[in-house]
Amino acid sequence: MKTKKTQSKSSKLSVGQKLKESSQLYLLMLPSIIIFLIFTYYPMYGVIIAFKDFKPALGIMGSKWVGMKNFITFFKSYQFSVTIKNTIVISLYTIAVTFPLPIIMALMVNQIRSTKFKKFLQVATYLPHFISVVVMSGMIILFLSPSTGIIAKLVGLLGFKLPNLMGSASAFPHIYVWTEAWQHVGWDSILYIATLSSVDPSLYEAATMDGANKWHKIVNIDLPSLVPTATVMFILRMGSVMSVGFEKVYLLQNNLNSSSSEIISTYVYKMGLVSNQYSLSAAIGLFNNIINLVLLIAVNMIAKKISDTSLV
């Protein structure tokens, strides 16, 4: 513990002295800073093309300025309302399902007393997370095939016929969200399990002496312990509401379900790399990121007001 004399001495140090004093720590940070500068901040220079009629032959600075034209083009396009709606529906649906499930999973694992069964359950639920998006999408398409899929075979044994779910626009959000839950819930629960493992055992002992059962311990000890972690995770999730995973949606997308699977990220890809409308795709991407930033700040401010937990 620092004394008042030590604290006053450290406060009088200049910025240069403080940097020199912690030089080894800053040296460890240097690789991360360089990576951020090269791969995160330097590419931001390219955002300029959102306000230009970008021509690769002329370069970024040589292309003509068009101001907000690309944004207006997107706002007036027939795909604007469709992509915004689909993105928000899939994203909020995903959060509604995959945010509470890891917490429930962690609470269940924390109640298991058999060490072997606990390890088996954790490994079994973690494994799907390591399946690549391409392989996972192929598995989903094969499993849900109405003619040769394993689910169709099982349903056929019961005397029913499986409809073409991959060709159904109304079924696409459910397929995407629940396969996401199956793949990532186990992995996402690790943080909450770690939080529960750090709870003081004396709290459980005191609750037992007071006559509390397992449900009382979960409600009064486990859940309050998870609230700060869950709040931070919720803020981060809300900050990416408009950023539904591109790869999986694009791989599961087809002409029959495109009315509900066309989201902002797939539309940006088609406009930018397929149709070569680089400025329009950059404008759509910038608009998407601005919305995410606004949501992140707003949710963080709300969390700060109603609780003691926030990002800053």
Side-chain angles (χ1 to χ4, degrees), residues 119-246:
K119 289 182 178 179
F120 170 77
L121 180 63
Q122 288 178 285
V123 171
T125 54
Y126 295 168
L127 284 177
H129 174 79
F130 298 99
I131 302 175
S132 70
V133 177
V134 176
V135 174
M136 175 60 68
S137 300
M139 289 171 60
I140 294 169
I141 293 171
L142 288 174
F143 289 165
L144 295 178
S145 172
S147 56
T148 60
I150 185 172
I151 297 177
K153 298 292 185 183
L154 293 174
V155 171
L157 294 174
L158 299 174
F160 300 98
K161 184 178 180 181
L162 185 72
N164 183 12
L165 296 176
M166 292 307 303
S168 172
S170 60
F172 182 85
H174 304 292
I175 295 171
Y176 177 88
V177 171
W178 288 102
T179 53
E180 278 288 293
W182 169 64
Q183 187 175 9
H184 298 298
V185 161
W187 181 262
D188 292 343
S189 67
I190 292 176
L191 185 61
Y192 300 109
I193 293 173
T195 302
L196 289 174
S197 65
S198 63
V199 176
D200 189 354
S202 63
L203 295 175
Y204 296 108
E205 294 172 3
T208 302
M209 292 180 66
D210 289 339
N213 56 30
K214 289 185 178 181
W215 175 250
H216 292 147
K217 292 175 185 177
I218 290 172
V219 173
N220 297 291
I221 299 175
D222 293 343
L223 285 177
S225 301
L226 293 175
V227 167
T229 303
T231 301
V232 172
M233 296 304 297
F234 182 74
I235 294 170
L236 294 174
R237 292 291 294 273
M238 290 303 295
S240 58
V241 164
M242 303 296 286
S243 301
V244 180
F246 160 76

Side-chain angles (χ1 to χ4, degrees), residues 235 238-239 241-242 290-300:
I235 294 170
M238 290 303 295
V241 164
M242 303 296 286
I290 290 173
I291 297 298
N292 279 334
L293 177 62
V294 171
L295 287 173
L296 178 64
I297 294 172
V299 174
N300 186 64

Side-chain angles (χ1 to χ4, degrees), residues 13-60:
L13 293 174
S14 64
V15 176
Q17 289 174 323
K18 288 180 179 179
L19 290 174
K20 187 176 180 180
E21 194 178 57
S22 305
S23 58
Q24 294 180 344
L25 294 176
Y26 289 112
L27 188 62
L28 288 173
M29 289 174 59
L30 188 60
S32 300
I33 294 172
I34 292 173
I35 291 172
F36 267 97
L37 290 175
I38 295 175
F39 296 103
T40 303
Y41 289 97
Y42 177 70
M44 287 184 184
Y45 164 72
V47 173
I48 297 174
I49 68 173
F51 304 94
K52 292 196 167 197
D53 181 14
F54 177 67
K55 305 292 183 184
L58 298 176
I60 294 178

